Amino acid sequence: MTKLRAATTAQVMAVVKADGYGHGAVPCARAALEGGATWLGVCTLAEALELRAAGIEAPVLAWLIGPGQPLHQAIEADVDLSAAGVDQLAEIVTAATVVGEPARVHLKIDTGLHRNGATAQTWPALLEAAAKAEADGLIEVIGVWSHFVYADAPGHETIDQQLVAFGEALDVAESFGITPQLRHIANSAATLTRTDAHFDLVRPGIAVYGLSPIAGETFGLRPAMTAHARVLLTKQVGPDEGVSYGHTYQTRSDTTLALVPLGYADGVPRAASNVGPIAVNGKRYTIAGRVCMDQVMLDCGDDGVHPGDEAILFGPGDRGEPTATDWADAIGTINYEIVTRFGSGRVPRTFAGERHG
Ligand SMILES: *Cc1c(COP(=O)(O)O)cnc(C)c1O
């Protein structure tokens, strides 16, 4: 957080969706707020209410709201809501009428991602409805916001194009009398590489957890999550023995096999079979054979690996262990997916430096 806080003069909304990218939403939210974030961002209403239930009072924006959700709970809990269309806004207005207080709304414009957000064609109708609801005291427009397609490829032409589209959307909003306190579009990559995209607030996610959104650059970030286990069992086997389901790995010589008790039920991708890296006693091995539901095997030669030795799947990298980014590269995904997979499984989490119990 310190690096992100120093990277901008805008407010920082720490994104803690998906259980804090697998790190634990509540402890990460608290740590981010201590580190200088003033806002929290989540995807679902349930995620926002989890933060409130934990006693977190900082402003929270929830941005993926489906039809028929209990929006009155959001308004009662002071959760900001995103609206991308007139129907969505109408639901928010109805809920605000029931609760008897204005809903806090961020209007989302689609500047090119073509995912969530109003198109340039539907934007004026959304603004008109929002201006009316605001005049009626049923909503307060807090923000106008958007999201990048390709901020992780600095210099990509879509970045400038989206900034132009965002500027136009803000101008149209102003013509409807809507001048939000918070204009926001920057994710981690744009926070780290495009100060001209910071506006009033930035929304970093992955970088909050010390992981870089951009291949080949670390920005001096230090990964927060370490995934590790203790070797549970070792055994000696001879050459040409198949290992794990389907025998997709064969030993080459007399060797020590080590069982690491983590599998795909714990977050280890099955796609890491025969490619995922794991460090034991400072040396890196590649998973031998298929990743099972609960365990993986390593072929440790005559390295003297023993039950109880620490096996590190990924961590900050200081002790020669792989990083989540190494794992992502090994199986053809992104570090986001690696850490998020370890979120809500059966692996116990401990929090270094935790001050809140
Ligand atoms: C996930 C998300 C972010 C954070 O993205 P990072 O790339 O992790 O920084 C920001 N805004 C929205 C709308 C998101 O969905």
Side-chain angles (χ1 to χ4, degrees), residues 13-17 21 41-43 61 63-64 108 113 115-116 145-148 151-152 184-192 202-209 211-213 336:
M13 172 188 285
V15 177
V16 296
K17 63 188 177 188
Y21 290 44
V42 293
C43 182
L61 170 63
W63 55 63
L64 209 57
K108 185 159 199 190
L113 182 58
R115 199 173 67 178
N116 199 358
W145 73 300
S146 192
H147 195 46
F148 282 119
D152 54 337
H184 50 106
I185 186 169
N187 56 3
S188 294
T191 302
L192 293 164
V202 294
R203 302 190 310 269
I206 196 76
V208 170
Y209 308 98
L211 291 166
S212 171
Y336 296 66

Side-chain angles (χ1 to χ4, degrees), residues 101-247:
E101 359 163 350
R104 297 166 51 91
V105 175
H106 297 234
L107 301 173
K108 185 159 199 190
I109 175 76
D110 176 0
T111 53
L113 182 58
H114 294 155
R115 199 173 67 178
N116 199 358
T119 62
Q121 288 69 42
T122 60
W123 185 234
L126 178 60
L127 292 166
E128 190 180 357
K132 178 173 182 308
E134 193 160 49
D136 292 345
L138 295 169
I139 68 167
E140 203 182 329
V141 178
I142 306 292
V144 166
W145 73 300
S146 192
H147 195 46
F148 282 119
V149 175
Y150 232 139
D152 54 337
H156 196 275
E157 60 188 8
T158 57
I159 300 170
D160 288 332
Q161 289 163 1
Q162 285 190 267
L163 286 172
V164 170
F166 192 51
E168 286 167 3
L170 287 166
D171 289 344
V172 179
E174 198 176 346
S175 74
F176 281 87
I178 291 177
T179 50
Q181 321 153 23
L182 297 178
R183 301 158 298 165
H184 50 106
I185 186 169
N187 56 3
S188 294
T191 302
L192 293 164
T193 62
R194 292 291 298 244
T195 42
D196 60 329
H198 289 187
F199 293 92
D200 309 302
L201 175 145
V202 294
R203 302 190 310 269
I206 196 76
V208 170
Y209 308 98
L211 291 166
S212 171
I214 297 179
E217 298 206 39
T218 68
F219 300 99
L221 296 164
R222 188 183 145 80
M225 185 190 285
T226 297
H228 58 139
R230 297 220 173 259
V231 171
L232 189 136
L233 175 103
T234 58
K235 67 177 71 174
Q236 308 305 128
V237 299
D240 303 316
E241 295 290 340
V243 179
S244 192
Y245 291 129
H247 279 183

Side-chain angles (χ1 to χ4, degrees), residues 35-47:
T38 49
W39 276 79
L40 299 168
V42 293
C43 182
T44 67
L45 186 49
E47 290 175 324

Side-chain angles (χ1 to χ4, degrees), residues 19-37:
D19 201 17
Y21 290 44
H23 296 67
V26 168
C28 290
R30 289 200 173 113
L33 293 167
E34 271 185 36

